[in-house]
Amino acid sequence: MSFLRILFLLLLTAGAGAFLLSPVGTRLAQAQEAVVAPDATPEQEAADHIADVRKRLDALAADVERRASDDAALTDIKARVDSLIRDVLKVSVDLRPRLNEIKSRLDQLGEPPKDGQPPEAAAVTQERHRLTAGRLEINTLTGQAEDISIKASELSNRITKMRRDLFAEQLFAHTEISMDVFSEAASSFSQEALDFQRTLSSWVTFILKFKRAPLGIAVMLSLSLALVLMFVEYRLFGRLIKRDPANEAPSYMSRLSVAFWSTILPTLALCVFLAATYFFLDTFKVLRQDIAPMMAVTLAFVGLVVFVGLLTQAVLAPKAPSWRLIRVSDRGARHLVTAVLLMAVINGLDYVFGTVSEALGSPIVLTVFKSFLSSTLVGLIIFAVSFMTPIVAETGDPRAPGRPWPRWVAILLRLVGLGLIFLSAVGYVGLARFLATQIIVNGAVVVTMYIGILSGKAISEPDRFGDTRVGRYLERRFLLHPVALDQTGMAAGLLIYLFALSIGIPLILISWGFQPRDIEAWLFTMFTEVNVGSIRFSVFGILGGILLFVLGLVGTRWFQKWLDGSIMARSQVDPGVRNSVRTAIGYLGTALAGLIGVSAAGIDLSSLALVAGALSLGIGFGLQNIVSNFVSGLILLAERPFKVGDWVATGTTEGFVRRISVRATEIETFQRQSIIVPNSELINASVGNWTHRNSLGRVDIPVGVGYDSDPRKVMAILEEIARTHEGVLRNPEPFVIFDGFGASSLDFRLCFFIGDVLNARGVKNDIHVMILERFRAEGVEIPFPQQDVHLHVRSAGDARRPGETPGSGGPMLAAVDVLPRMAGDGLPADEASGSLPR
C-alpha cells in the first residue's frame, strides 16, 4: 500500500506540474494576475474586454492567412475563434443585470415633465441623464459585441471552408508516376536516412548531456502508470478478457463478450500508457521540436498494430476454435490474422515514414513514393486474400482443409485490391492511401463496435444476464431476484451500446480527417449550448436539472417518512391527518423539485406561456373530468369528510378507505377487492361514513318468534342476552322493539351499541348464536313461513263436456286453493279438504 501511495503522490505531482506548464495553466495564471481595479464599472470592464477580443480576433485572422495549408493549425485557430465567439457573447449576458437595473430606475423616475408642467428637481434631471447615458453606453457595447461575434462567425466559417478545400485538394491530388519519380525517390531516400541518423544521434546526445534526470522521471512515471493499469485491468476485468480453457462449448454471448472486452480493455490501457508517455516526455522537455511529431506517430503506430492484432486474435482465435466468432478453419484463421496484421503494419509504417520525411524536410516525391508502395502492397494483400480457402469444411471440423470464399465476397475483395493498385498506378496516391487507411482502421473499429453492440444485445435479452460471470457475481453479492437481475442486464446492455459508440465514432471521425479539436468543439457545443429555433438549452443543463429533480424527489420522500414516522407517529396524530399531510407534502415537494429542475435546465418558464394556453384550452374541453377529480381530491384532503381507515359506503361500494390521492380514492371491500373511485363521485354523491366522528355504532338484529310465544318474555330474554355480551355497551343500554305482526311470526328488533363499529360483524355473530341457544332452551319457537293448501275433489260428471252424458265414467277433477296459513289457524271439522303445510 505504501508503494501505491508514493506512486499516487508522484503522479499527482507530475500532473500538477504538467498542468502549470500547459497552456490551460498558463492562461489561468494570467487570468489570476489580471485583476481589475476595484473601482472599475461594468461598462468599463466590458469595453476593455471587447477591445481585447477584437485585438485577438485580428491576430487570429492574420494567422489564418499565414497557415492556410496546415490543417492542424487551422483546426486550432478555429477552436480559438469559436471560444472568442462564446467569450464576446457573454458581454451582453453580463451587462443585462446592469441594463435591467437602469431601466427599473428610469421607470421609477418616470417621464420628464412636458412643456407647461412644473420643472423637476435638478438632481432628478441629472440622475435621468446619467441613467440614459449609461443605457446608451450599454446598448453601444452590446452592438459592438454582436458585430465582433458576426465577424468571428464569418472567420470560423471561412476556416471550415478552407479546411474542406484543403482536404479535397490533398485527397484528389494527382502525381505523375514514372521511372523518373522512382529514381528521384531512391536518391532522396539515402539522404533522408542520413538526416534521420544525424537527427536521432543528436537527440540522444542532447538527452545524455542535459535531460538524463527528466528522462528517468518520465520513464519511471510511464512504467509506474503501466504497472498500475495492468494491475487494475487484470484485478478487476481479468475474467472478462480471458477465455476459459475448460469450457469447450462456450455460448455465443460468452464468445462475443470475451472478444469485445479482450480487445477494448487492453487497447484502452495501452493507449493511456502511450499518451501518458508522450505527455511526460513533452512535459519534462525531453522531446525536441523535430523529434516530437516522429515520437507521436511512432506511439500511434504501436497502438494501431496492437489494436488490430488483439481484434484479429479475438475474432478469429487461431488457437481456440471453440471461441471463434467466424466459421473459418484453423489454417484460414492463421492466414487471415497474418494478412490483416501485415496490412496494418504496412499502412502504419507509411504514416511513420511520412511524418519522418515531413519533419526532416525531405522532398515530396519521397512521401509520394512511400504512399504508392504501401497502397500497392495493401492492394496486393487484399487481392491475394480473395484466393484463400478459409471457410470451414462442410463437416464442421476446423482442422480440415477449408473452402473458398463465397463468390460475391471473393469478387468484392478482388475489386478492392485492384482498385487500390489502379489508383496508385494512375497517380491518385493520396486517395489510394486514404482508402487503404479506411479499410484497415475503420474496418477494425467498425468490427469492434459491431461486436460490442451484439454483446450488449445478447446481454439485454431476457434471462441472459444471469448466465454471465458478472451477472452471477452480482446475484451472489447483492442477492438480486430474477426481475432485478434482468433489469440490471438491460442497463448493462445499454451501457455497452454507449461505450462502443463513444469509443468507435470519434476514431472513425479522426480517420476521416477530422481533428481532435473538432470533436472537442462539437462535444462542447452539444453539451453546453444547443439551439432549436429560438430555444437554447444544453445537455449539461438538462442533466443537471434531472439530477436536481431526482435529488428533490429523494429529499421529499425522506422528509415525508421522517415527518410521518418521527413526528406525527410519536405525537399520536390521527392516521387520516397523517395521510393528508404526507400526501400534501409529497405533491408540494414534487412541484418544487420540478420547478427547480426546469430552471436549472435553462428552460425559460415564461416561454411555456403558449403551452399553458394550449393546456387551458384542452382542459376546457377534453380534460374536464381529470380537473374535476383533481379539484375534488384537493377538497377531500382539505375538508376530510373521510380519512384513511374509515368505513364508508357509496353507491354499491362499501369498505375501508386505504388511500386518498388527488385523482381517485382507493376503497378496499370486505372481500379484499380494491375499488378505485374517482374523487368527483365522492364529492357529488352521498357517502356514508361509519367512523366519521367516532367508532361508536348501533347494531340492530331482527328476530321473529311464533304467534304462541309470550312477547314480554321474548323481550326480556333478548335484553338479557345483549347485556351479558362483553362487546355491548352498558350505556346507552340495549333495548328491544316490537316491530309488528308478520305473515308467519311476531317480529322484534334487538338494538344495542358497541364501542367499535368495525367489530359489528363479530358481535352480531355471537349474539345470533346466543339467541338461538337461549330460545331452544326456553322453548321459544322461531317459525318459518307456512302456507295452507286446500284440495277440492269432485266427480267428472259435475262438469260434462258438450255431447257427454252423465255417469259416462269420466275422470275425477280436482281444484287446489293455496292460502297462507297464520300461526294458530284451525280448520272446520266438516271441511272435505286436506291441509298440507309448506
Side-chain angles (χ1 to χ4, degrees):
M1 293 299 296
S2 59
F3 171 74
L4 293 178
R5 292 176 181 174
I6 294 173
L7 178 60
F8 175 76
L9 291 176
L10 290 174
L11 292 175
L12 183 62
T13 304
F19 175 77
L20 293 176
L21 295 174
S22 63
V24 177
T26 303
R27 287 197 296 267
L28 181 60
Q30 292 175 354
Q32 292 176 347
E33 293 176 359
V35 180
V36 182
D39 56 347
T41 63
E43 292 83 353
Q44 293 175 349
E45 295 178 9
D48 296 339
H49 186 64
I50 290 175
D52 180 64
V53 170
R54 183 182 289 109
K55 185 185 302 183
R56 290 156 58 190
L57 183 62
D58 294 338
L60 291 176
D63 289 342
V64 170
E65 298 298 333
R66 290 195 305 267
R67 312 183 71 174
S69 60
D70 190 346
D71 183 70
L74 291 177
T75 303
D76 182 70
I77 294 174
K78 185 179 184 304
R80 292 158 63 185
V81 171
D82 294 338
S83 177
L84 284 182
I85 295 175
R86 293 188 296 267
D87 199 15
V88 76
L89 288 178
K90 288 180 60 179
V91 173
S92 301
V93 178
D94 295 339
L95 291 177
R96 189 174 301 165
R98 174 63 175 166
L99 182 61
N100 294 334
E101 180 184 353
I102 292 177
K103 289 181 178 180
S104 176
R105 181 59 179 160
L106 286 174
D107 293 338
Q108 293 176 359
L109 294 179
E111 296 293 333
K114 299 180 180 179
D115 295 338
Q117 294 181 348
E120 61 183 4
V124 175
T125 304
Q126 183 179 2
E127 178 67 11
R128 179 181 287 107
H129 289 167
R130 187 183 67 82
L131 294 174
T132 303
R135 183 174 61 180
L136 178 61
E137 184 180 4
I138 292 176
N139 291 334
T140 302
L141 293 174
T142 304
Q144 293 177 0
E146 292 178 355
D147 292 341
I148 295 177
S149 174
I150 294 173
K151 184 178 178 181
S153 299
E154 293 176 351
L155 180 60
S156 178
N157 296 333
R158 179 187 169 195
I159 294 174
T160 301
K161 184 178 182 303
M162 292 174 63
R163 291 187 58 209
R164 190 183 300 114
D165 296 340
L166 183 62
F167 177 75
E169 180 182 354
Q170 294 176 351
L171 188 61
F172 296 101
H174 183 265
T175 304
E176 294 293 337
I177 303 299
S178 61
M179 294 304 299
D180 295 336
V181 174
F182 294 154
S183 60
E184 184 180 354
S187 61
S188 301
F189 181 76
S190 59
Q191 182 62 38
E192 183 183 79
L194 293 175
D195 293 341
F196 179 72
Q197 182 181 2
R198 286 196 298 266
T199 302
L200 190 60
S201 300
S202 64
W203 179 58
V204 172
T205 303
F206 167 74
I207 291 176
L208 294 177
K209 288 185 177 181
F210 305 105
K211 294 293 182 179
R212 283 183 295 181
L215 177 63
I217 296 175
V219 172
M220 183 189 67
L221 291 176
S222 300
L223 293 178
S224 301
L225 181 60
L227 293 176
V228 172
L229 290 175
M230 291 177 60
F231 173 78
V232 172
E233 180 179 304
Y234 284 96
R235 184 70 177 84
L236 300 180
F237 308 105
R239 295 184 177 182
L240 297 177
I241 62 179
K242 287 184 179 180
R243 300 186 180 100
D244 187 4
N247 191 355
E248 298 181 356
S251 63
Y252 183 65
M253 183 177 64
S254 298
R255 287 183 288 160
L256 283 173
S257 179
V258 171
F260 178 71
W261 295 113
S262 63
T263 301
I264 287 294
L265 294 178
T267 301
L268 288 178
L270 178 65
C271 290
V272 171
F273 166 68
L274 296 176
T277 300
Y278 181 83
F279 173 78
F280 289 136
L281 292 176
D282 184 60
T283 300
F284 291 107
K285 306 299 181 182
V286 176
L287 299 177
R288 295 189 319 198
Q289 188 175 1
D290 54 347
I291 295 296
M294 292 188 284
M295 179 62 70
V297 75
T298 302
L299 296 177
F301 166 73
V302 173
L304 172 65
V305 173
V306 172
F307 167 59
V308 174
L310 290 173
L311 178 63
T312 53
Q313 290 289 334
V315 174
L316 298 174
K319 298 181 181 180
S322 59
W323 291 87
R324 198 169 292 159
L325 293 179
I326 302 177
R327 293 180 56 82
V328 295
S329 62
D330 292 345
R331 182 179 180 183
R334 292 193 298 270
H335 289 173
L336 287 175
V337 168
T338 303
V340 174
L341 194 59
L342 186 59
M343 287 190 294
V345 171
I346 292 173
N347 187 257
L349 288 176
D350 177 25
Y351 282 89
V352 172
F353 292 150
T355 304
V356 170
S357 299
E358 183 179 356
L360 298 178
S362 301
I364 191 64
V365 67
L366 185 57
T367 302
V368 172
F369 174 74
K370 295 174 184 176
S371 299
F372 170 82
L373 184 61
S374 66
S375 302
T376 303
L377 290 176
V378 171
L380 289 174
I381 293 174
I382 295 176
F383 185 76
V385 168
S386 66
F387 293 96
M388 289 183 180
T389 56
I391 305 301
V392 71
E394 294 182 357
T395 59
D397 186 5
R399 295 170 296 181
R403 294 175 294 163
W405 294 103
R407 184 174 181 82
W408 67 271
V409 176
I411 293 175
L412 179 61
L413 291 174
R414 290 166 192 170
L415 290 176
V416 171
L418 292 176
L420 292 178
I421 297 173
F422 175 75
L423 289 175
S424 300
V426 298
Y428 289 98
V429 178
L431 181 58
R433 182 195 191 193
F434 177 78
L435 294 177
T437 303
Q438 302 310 306
I439 292 172
I440 298 169
V441 178
N442 278 356
V445 173
V446 169
V447 169
T448 306
M449 291 174 57
Y450 183 65
I451 294 175
I453 292 174
L454 290 180
S455 301
K457 182 179 179 181
I459 290 177
S460 300
E461 292 181 358
D463 303 327
R464 295 297 299 273
F465 184 65
D467 298 335
T468 63
R469 297 178 180 176
V470 178
R472 291 192 293 268
Y473 170 76
L474 293 178
E475 184 178 10
R476 293 192 307 269
R477 177 66 176 81
F478 300 101
L479 301 177
L480 298 178
H481 53 82
V483 176
L485 192 63
D486 187 57
Q487 294 175 347
T488 305
M490 295 174 58
L494 180 60
L495 291 176
I496 293 176
Y497 289 157
L498 297 176
F499 181 75
L501 294 176
S502 62
I503 294 296
I505 292 178
L507 293 176
I508 293 175
L509 293 176
I510 291 175
S511 66
W512 284 352
F514 294 97
Q515 298 292 334
R517 295 296 296 269
D518 294 328
I519 302 175
E520 292 177 7
W522 294 340
L523 292 176
F524 181 83
T525 302
M526 182 179 68
F527 283 100
T528 56
E529 183 176 353
V530 179
N531 297 328
V532 179
S534 59
I535 301 176
R536 293 184 178 182
F537 63 91
S538 67
V539 177
F540 280 143
I542 293 177
L543 294 178
I546 294 175
L547 179 60
L548 290 177
F549 177 71
V550 172
L551 292 177
L553 289 182
V554 172
T556 300
R557 297 294 181 266
W558 175 84
F559 183 73
Q560 282 180 297
K561 293 181 179 179
W562 175 79
L563 183 63
D564 183 52
S566 300
I567 302 299
M568 293 190 293
R570 293 184 179 182
S571 303
Q572 297 182 354
V573 179
D574 184 79
V577 177
R578 291 168 57 182
N579 176 75
S580 300
V581 173
R582 185 172 59 249
T583 303
I585 290 177
Y587 285 110
L588 179 61
T590 303
L592 291 177
L595 291 175
I596 293 173
V598 170
S599 300
I603 300 176
D604 188 4
L605 297 179
S606 62
S607 63
L608 301 179
L610 182 61
V611 179
L615 287 178
S616 301
L617 184 62
I619 290 172
F621 288 95
L623 303 180
Q624 294 182 9
N625 292 333
I626 296 177
V627 175
S628 176
N629 291 327
F630 180 80
V631 175
S632 300
L634 296 179
I635 294 174
L636 291 177
L637 291 174
E639 187 177 301
R640 299 179 65 245
F642 53 83
K643 57 187 179 297
V644 173
D646 283 357
W647 176 9
V648 298
T650 170
T652 59
T653 303
E654 183 175 2
F656 297 101
V657 178
R658 295 305 184 195
R659 182 172 178 270
I660 303 174
S661 63
V662 294
R663 192 198 67 84
T665 297
E666 179 183 345
I667 298 177
E668 182 181 343
T669 65
F670 300 115
Q671 292 78 24
R672 299 297 182 183
Q673 180 186 19
S674 295
I675 306 296
I676 309 301
V677 182
N679 289 329
S680 59
E681 295 185 8
L682 300 176
I683 290 294
N684 299 324
S686 300
V687 179
N689 190 345
W690 287 91
T691 55
H692 180 48
R693 300 297 182 188
N694 50 56
S695 59
L696 180 69
R698 196 183 87 174
V699 179
D700 296 349
I701 298 179
V703 180
V705 298
Y707 266 86
D708 57 351
S709 302
D710 183 1
R712 297 187 182 278
K713 178 181 179 180
V714 171
M715 295 174 64
I717 292 173
L718 293 177
E719 290 180 358
E720 182 181 353
I721 291 174
R723 289 191 182 97
T724 57
H725 194 281
E726 61 182 5
V728 177
L729 297 178
R730 303 296 183 269
N731 186 20
E733 292 185 350
F735 58 92
V736 180
I737 299 176
F738 188 176
D739 278 338
F741 303 94
S744 302
S745 63
L746 300 176
D747 297 334
F748 297 86
R749 182 153 44 97
L750 173 62
C751 304
F752 56 86
F753 294 87
I754 59 177
D756 189 356
V757 73
L758 300 179
N759 298 328
R761 291 184 180 273
V763 174
K764 288 178 66 176
N765 183 72
D766 295 341
I767 297 294
H768 282 153
V769 174
M770 294 173 66
I771 290 174
L772 181 60
E773 293 176 348
R774 185 67 179 276
F775 277 8
R776 286 178 177 177
E778 298 289 341
V780 178
E781 178 189 4
I782 300 178
F784 47 83
Q786 302 181 21
Q787 291 181 339
D788 290 338
V789 179
H790 301 275
L791 180 63
H792 302 276
V793 182
R794 60 185 176 179
S795 65
D798 294 339
R800 297 188 299 271
R801 294 180 183 178
E804 291 185 345
T805 58
S808 59
M812 297 292 291
L813 300 180
V816 179
D817 294 336
V818 180
L819 301 175
R821 180 186 178 191
M822 302 295 291
D825 286 352
L827 293 176
D830 57 349
E831 180 74 19
S833 65
S835 180
L836 302 178
R838 293 187 58 191

